[in-house]
Every structure is written in structure tokens, then in C-alpha cells.
Amino acid sequence: MELTITKNATCTFCGCVCDDIELHSDTERIVETKRACILGESWFRNHTAERLYPDALIDGEPATVDEAVEEAAEYLYNAHMPLVYGLSNVTCETQREAVALAEMIGGVVDSHTSL
Amino acid sequence: MGGKVTCTLGEVKNRADLIIYWGGNPAECHPRHFTKYTLTQKGKFIPKGRKDRTMILVDIRETPSAKAADIFLQVRPNKDFEVLSALRALVKGQRIDAARAAETGLTVEQLQDFADRMKQARFGVLFFGMGLSMTRGKHMNSAALLSLAAELNAFTKFVAMPMRGHGNVTGGDVIMRWTTGYPFGVNLSRGYPRFNPGEFSTVDLLLRGDNDAALILGADPGATMPQPAIDHLARIPTITLDPKVTHTSRLSRVHITTAATGISAPGTVYRMDEIPLPLRPPLKSPYPTDEEVVRRIYKAVAKKPMWLPLLEPTAKG
Ligand code: SF4
């Protein structure tokens, strides 16, 4: 099968954020990495585009994303002091949305930095 | 960390002739830091690369990074603040007590040599890791190191930079600073941002049992936090967004699988020197991105009546 080559891909595994990585991939997985270190290489190989997990889980049972979104909104809306936490392994665009959500639900937003 | 004297990694590459790592182990934790940004690269004002640079490593034990260093200084555990204070005194030409210095694990001569090298450098940089900022003294250690870097600018050009860890933690600081004015632990429960580390930081909130719901994304506290904090997350409705079913997902009421950042989700992340870089994800995920899911939750909440009593505009205006 023809491999797709992605030049100057960005590794987000550590704070170096190397943006000179070459990736060779098929439709489901990355099969080769160039210039990444061992940590970066295992990071790229560890994630695939396979459907390994259910779209969503509610109380441990498979559910649709729509149902899970409604359920999540209900919990967050009803809470007096909800917490939005994490934000390290997501994009800045996601972080911005998370801050907006935290503001609307009147909660605390926090990241790994506070540890 | 407002007010820090810092620069980009590009400037380090092109200018730094003295590179100090303090309480960090880049050889194992940031493997390409030496080769891509700091030590071995030739720079505009560093024509001979490694030969033009001196590297000093300060740590409590000899890690694999020591092999790369010209000078390794082993300090006693929890004595970083004392070493930094001694250096700040020496840089200003003050004398320090030999017995007190010995308590840190270093001799006065070693400290004096360290201070002299910093003052004589053309462009020095202090990289500091969690071995400094997460041990006894914590942010006071970081503050002492940042002050040392700032004070050295009376003699030469000197900067400091934290060695940030996984993923986009730096972006988190930047985005929260931009949107709320504070870098982390921001409490919006009164409708405006309040900042008080120790009160509004996650572990403290969870240990006190202050939160009655949680949304976790881009992290797995269920694997990393102190057990009582994890227990509280399990007690309250927790919602987790993650590309995998994680420890946190298993204690959550709701888990939503998302595309993996940089692998199958596009966007921007910040490098440790606060340079934003675009992602080039090679794969297409069957799952939605975190960004999309958070936005959908936002929209679902927005349909409900606002919790915050808004002031009615008065007739007088
Ligand atoms: S390739 Fe290695 S050094 Fe570069 S960002 Fe990835 S993990 Fe860090």
C-alpha cells in the first residue's frame, strides 16, 4: 500500500515540541518516523486511527457522543463548583474552549502547572 | 511567572556560550534539547558549536545528562535555595560562610567558580526542571533562580527558562493568561477570575472535597494524583475526554473518546519557550477532536438558563 509522507510534523510528547519530524503512515497507523527521538517515536507509534474504544461511555456502558455530551452538560450545569482540569495534551484551540466552558459553568480551570 | 527574563530557544542556539541545567535531566526527559537547541548546534555567534559552549549541570544525583556536561555540581537534596542564595551573594561580590556553604554539598571555591563563569559568560541561560521547582522550597526556588538570572544582567546577558514537560502545558499557561489574566488554577465561580494557588489548585480543591463535578481533558489524574484526590474524583460526577480509556475514564460517569492531539487532531501547541507551532496530524481519526467535543458541551450548557444572576439594566441607565 502507498504510504503517505508527512514532512515537518510536530511531536508533542515533550516540551521540545520538535517540528522537523517526517512521518510515513498508512490510513490507520504511523509506520516510520524520521528524526524523532525514542520517546517521540514510541509516542507516534502508540497512537493509531483505529476504532479501539467505544465512542463514549456513560456509567461504563457504551453510548453515543450526543448522549454523552448531554449528560456531561447536565452534570456540569448542575454543579456548584465544577472543575475543568488537565489541558496538557490538547491544543490551544481546545484550551480556549475549555476556559470559555469553565466561565459559563462558573467553575475552576486548572492545568498540570499547579501540581 | 510574570517578569521572568527569558528568550527563545533560537536565541540560545545562536548566542548562548554558557548553558546551565538545574534539577533536570534532559538526556532522558527532553532527548533532543541538546542536539536541536542548545549544546551541539552551531549558531550565528557560536561558530564552533559545542566547542564554544560550556555546560554546567546542577542536580542532587549524577544522571545520564552529566555525561554531556563540562561541569557537574552535586548539591545535597533540598539545598537548592541555599545554593542559589549563595550564588546571588557571590555575584554581587559579597562573602559567604565556608561552613554554611559546605552544608549545600558544594565548596566555596566551586560556588565562586560557578559565579565567576556566569558573570564572564557572553550569554548565559539557566534551564530549570522539576528537580528545582517541585522539591522543598518549590516556587521560592524558581523565584530565587529567576532573580539570579535577572541580577546577572547587571554584568552580562542572562536568561532563565523552565524545562516544561508533556504536551502542551506551556500552551495551557499562555491560553489561561490570555483569557483570564492568570496562568493556572483560575476560579471563575463568581463570574470573574480569581487566582490563589494552594486554594484554587486542583489537588487542594479535591483534597478538601470542594468540587461537585469535574471535566478532565488532556490528562490522566486517575493515574498520577494523590489517592485521596482520586477518591474524590470517583465520588463526584467526572467527565473524561481522552483518545484512550484511561484510569480516569474508569472512575468517570462519562467518557468520550477523542482524536489524539498531533496524531489525528490538528491545532496549535506551544514549545517550552512559548513559541506556538502548528500540528501536522498524519492520520484521520474516527473520533471527534477534543475541541469539537468541548464546544458541543458548551452549546448544550448554553441552552440552559444562565446560573449567574445578571443585573437588569436600570431605567435611569
Ligand atoms: S522528538 Fe523527542 S525531543 Fe522532540 S518533542 Fe518529541 S519527545 Fe521531545
Side-chain angles (χ1 to χ4, degrees):
Chain A
M1 199 191 141
E2 187 89 8
L3 292 179
T4 313
I5 295 176
T6 309
K7 288 225 161 95
N8 299 326
T10 308
C11 174
T12 61
F13 185 75
C14 84
C16 287
V17 190
C18 300
D19 58 344
D20 59 350
I21 316 278
E22 186 176 310
L23 299 173
H24 297 215
S25 56
D26 59 23
T27 51
E28 272 196 338
R29 61 184 67 239
I30 296 158
V31 292
E32 202 188 325
T33 62
K34 284 193 180 151
R35 282 184 292 278
C37 70
I38 38 168
L39 299 180
E41 178 164 353
S42 58
W43 165 254
F44 279 118
R45 284 174 186 254
N46 242 321
H47 289 87
T48 66
E50 294 164 296
R51 191 178 269 279
L52 293 176
Y53 303 97
D55 285 342
L57 294 167
I58 298 177
D59 294 320
E61 299 297 322
T64 65
V65 176
D66 285 334
E67 290 162 350
V69 163
E70 284 304 322
E71 191 85 357
E74 194 64 30
Y75 281 132
L76 294 173
Y77 177 74
N78 287 321
H80 294 290
M81 176 67 113
L83 169 71
V84 177
Y85 173 78
L87 306 183
S88 33
N89 221 339
V90 294
T91 59
C92 295
E93 290 79 356
T94 311
Q95 291 163 342
R96 177 178 64 181
E97 296 295 332
V99 174
L101 176 62
E103 183 180 19
M104 187 166 60
I105 58 181
V108 174
V109 55
D110 192 20
S111 78
H112 271 176
T113 305
S114 80
L115 283 182
Chain B
M1 247 176 281
K4 79 182 158 200
V5 182
T6 194
C7 69
T8 65
L9 288 168
E11 284 181 88
V12 173
K13 174 182 150 182
N14 281 316
R15 293 171 191 274
D17 61 343
L18 178 64
I19 293 162
I20 301 159
Y21 288 96
W22 197 308
N25 178 12
E28 287 184 311
C29 303
H30 296 86
R32 294 183 72 204
H33 210 254
F34 292 151
T35 53
K36 193 162 187 279
Y37 303 116
T38 60
L39 271 194
T40 56
Q41 288 275 349
K42 291 195 171 97
K44 193 166 179 190
F45 303 104
I46 306 285
K48 294 206 282 286
R50 180 66 182 94
K51 284 201 206 78
D52 282 337
R53 307 190 204 255
T54 304
M55 169 179 158
I56 302 178
L57 178 72
V58 185
D59 210 341
I60 56 165
R61 62 191 173 90
E62 195 169 336
T63 62
S65 298
K67 274 203 229 63
D70 298 297
I71 300 171
F72 170 58
L73 297 174
Q74 186 162 11
V75 299
R76 292 231 174 95
N78 297 325
K79 290 289 179 194
D80 299 273
F81 187 83
E82 286 78 352
V83 176
L84 286 164
S85 306
L87 289 171
R88 288 176 64 191
L90 290 171
V91 162
K92 288 183 188 142
Q94 292 157 354
R95 277 183 314 181
I96 56 167
D97 184 79
R100 290 268 184 89
E103 283 172 22
T104 65
L106 302 178
T107 62
V108 175
E109 291 70 39
Q110 280 175 310
L111 289 164
Q112 186 65 55
D113 177 61
F114 193 175
D116 292 343
R117 283 177 189 273
M118 289 194 286
K119 283 168 81 168
Q120 284 154 14
R122 277 190 299 145
F123 186 112
V125 51
L126 273 158
F127 290 105
F128 59 105
M130 303 216 285
L132 180 77
S133 56
M134 299 288 244
T135 52
R136 179 176 163 264
K138 289 203 161 181
H139 61 277
M140 294 307 290
N141 292 344
S142 315
L145 183 137
L146 293 171
S147 306
L148 172 64
E151 286 160 9
L152 278 161
N153 283 277
F155 308 96
T156 183
K157 175 78 185 149
F158 229 93
V159 298
M161 193 186 299
M163 296 287 282
R164 303 306 300 276
H166 287 279
N168 195 17
V169 273
T170 308
D173 291 11
V174 173
I175 298 298
M176 275 189 260
R177 252 154 42 194
W178 156 54
T179 49
T180 72
Y182 303 112
F184 61 88
V186 185
N187 185 348
L188 296 152
S189 66
R190 285 190 189 163
Y192 58 88
R194 287 184 297 155
F195 178 65
N196 193 14
E199 186 179 8
F200 305 140
S201 18
T202 296
V203 174
D204 303 279
L205 287 166
L206 292 175
L207 290 183
R208 286 196 308 265
D210 282 357
N211 298 114
D212 51 354
L215 171 67
I216 311 291
L217 66 164
D220 189 9
T224 52
M225 278 201 175
Q227 192 58 43
I230 298 175
D231 292 343
H232 190 68
L233 282 177
R235 261 195 302 274
I236 60 177
T238 295
I239 299 127
T240 302
L241 315 186
D242 204 278
K244 302 194 167 170
V245 173
T246 62
H247 292 273
T248 315
S249 311
R250 287 197 196 95
L251 57 80
S252 300
R253 303 270 172 89
V254 182
H255 159 91
I256 302 177
T257 311
T258 53
T261 303
I263 309 273
S264 48
T268 311
V269 301
Y270 272 75
R271 202 165 69 186
M272 61 166 75
D273 54 349
E274 301 191 355
I275 297 294
L277 293 165
L279 297 174
R280 296 196 174 77
L283 302 178
K284 269 206 165 48
S285 175
Y287 304 109
T289 61
D290 292 295
E291 184 186 350
E292 191 186 327
V293 174
V294 178
R295 197 176 294 135
R296 281 171 71 177
I297 297 175
Y298 181 95
K299 283 201 186 123
V301 177
K303 281 195 291 217
K304 304 173 193 284
M306 182 66 177
W307 61 276
L308 187 69
L310 291 176
L311 289 178
E312 294 293 329
T314 53
K316 284 191 210 130

